[in-house]
Amino acid sequence: MTAQPDFSKNANHAATAPAFLSVWGMQAYYGESYIVQDISFNVHEGEILALLGRNGAGKTTTLRAIARMDNPQLNHGEIWLDHQPLHKMKSHEASVAGIGLVPEDRCIIPGLTVEENLQLAQIAPPVGWSIERLYELFPRLAERRQQEGVTLSGGEQQMLAVARALARDIKVLLLDEPYEGLAPVIVDEIEKTLRIIKQQGITTILVEQNAVRALNLSDRAVILDTGGIVFDGSAEEVLNNEELRAEYLAI
């Protein structure tokens, strides 16, 4: 039998360098299904990390476990954010600690305007991201501030979902498939915004099926396969390694 190439590098091993967000030995389940199996990785402050892999690899499960969502439950392991033990927190406590999750379905609240969606999310008083500052970052939202959020276009809803997360003065932004169903010109606009957010020191973990676009935006990449880490390294390494991309990303 031909040996399979080993791209794992730092797979299932927490790096020793200081990290802003650290995941150590994490296991997570959906009911009886064992989805994430003993994974460890670090993310440094201000970094954009692409969390990649085929469908069912455990990417969304990992994001939800970091955000401490009720389902899936984190069954084992530790998650530390800036010396705070996220693994001991409930979802609302993780949010206060600085975690902002933008789920795939965006979860815009029906019946509320753009501005009301932002006001509901905002901490009081705002420390870094006032509503007016968010409107400067997302001019389209400023133009539609009195429009009901669920009537926005898909791209505008994605902008609102990101703005709503920022309104809580988060430290880490978790994005689950932010480009899905959006036109390339809108994706360009969202990527421009994510670069601005990075300049503000916010750390981002990006789950995205459009792996090439995600890698071009990101500093580093972690690739999951059947619930485990098979690669942890620079985004450039993945872009330049055709064998790795074909093996785990089908690109």
Side-chain angles (χ1 to χ4, degrees):
M1 179 182 294
T2 303
Q4 292 296 311
D6 181 9
F7 303 114
S8 57
K9 210 173 176 189
N10 298 322
N12 294 320
H13 177 72
T16 57
F20 189 61
L21 174 69
S22 291
V23 174
W24 298 343
M26 189 178 78
Q27 301 178 30
Y29 297 76
Y30 274 115
E32 298 297 320
S33 299
Y34 190 13
I35 305 297
V36 175
Q37 305 172 22
D38 193 25
I39 68 171
S40 301
F41 62 91
N42 287 337
V43 190
H44 298 278
E45 189 170 11
E47 218 173 30
I48 299 179
L49 175 77
L51 184 62
L52 304 175
R54 299 176 189 268
N55 288 336
K59 306 182 297 297
T60 294
T61 300
T62 299
L63 290 191
R64 290 179 63 85
I66 293 172
R68 309 304 297 125
M69 304 301 287
D70 291 337
N71 187 18
Q73 295 284 346
L74 176 63
N75 299 90
H76 180 73
E78 299 182 8
I79 306 171
W80 292 86
L81 171 63
D82 196 18
H83 309 293
Q84 300 177 85
L86 290 180
H87 54 282
K88 296 182 179 181
M89 298 182 187
K90 297 184 182 298
S91 59
H92 69 277
E93 295 171 325
S95 177
V96 171
I99 295 291
L101 172 64
V102 178
E104 185 177 355
D105 60 5
R106 299 162 191 152
C107 291
I108 306 302
I109 301 174
L112 298 185
T113 66
V114 167
E115 190 149 310
E116 288 168 341
N117 267 274
L118 296 177
Q119 289 172 337
L120 189 64
Q122 191 166 52
I123 64 170
V127 177
W129 294 93
S130 66
I131 289 180
E132 288 308 314
R133 187 181 177 197
L134 290 168
Y135 285 152
E136 291 174 5
L137 186 63
F138 297 99
R140 291 192 186 203
L141 298 183
E143 296 169 0
R144 294 159 174 76
R145 65 176 71 195
Q146 297 306 320
Q147 183 174 335
E148 187 178 355
V150 293
T151 68
L152 298 175
S153 69
E156 291 163 351
Q157 287 191 32
Q158 188 65 61
M159 294 174 193
L160 177 55
V162 173
R164 188 179 55 190
L166 293 175
R168 297 199 58 81
D169 286 321
I170 58 172
K171 298 176 181 178
V172 177
L173 178 64
L174 307 176
L175 294 170
D176 195 0
E177 303 287 357
Y179 305 160
E180 185 176 15
L182 302 184
V185 65
I186 301 299
V187 174
D188 290 342
E189 193 170 339
I190 290 173
E191 287 184 342
K192 180 180 177 181
T193 301
L194 293 178
R195 289 188 175 96
I196 294 172
I197 292 171
K198 173 182 169 66
Q199 291 171 1
Q200 305 303 310
I202 292 177
T203 304
T204 300
I205 300 180
L206 172 63
V207 166
E208 178 52 53
Q209 284 299 319
N210 191 332
V212 173
R213 292 208 69 142
L215 289 164
N216 279 317
L217 179 68
S218 301
D219 303 293
R220 291 180 43 246
V222 167
I223 300 177
L224 298 180
D225 188 60
T226 59
I229 294 177
V230 293
F231 178 87
D232 182 344
S234 75
E236 184 177 9
E237 287 178 86
V238 183
L239 287 168
N240 292 335
N241 191 323
E242 183 178 351
E243 186 179 10
L244 171 60
R245 289 186 283 108
E247 179 75 15
Y248 295 112
L249 302 176
I251 57 174

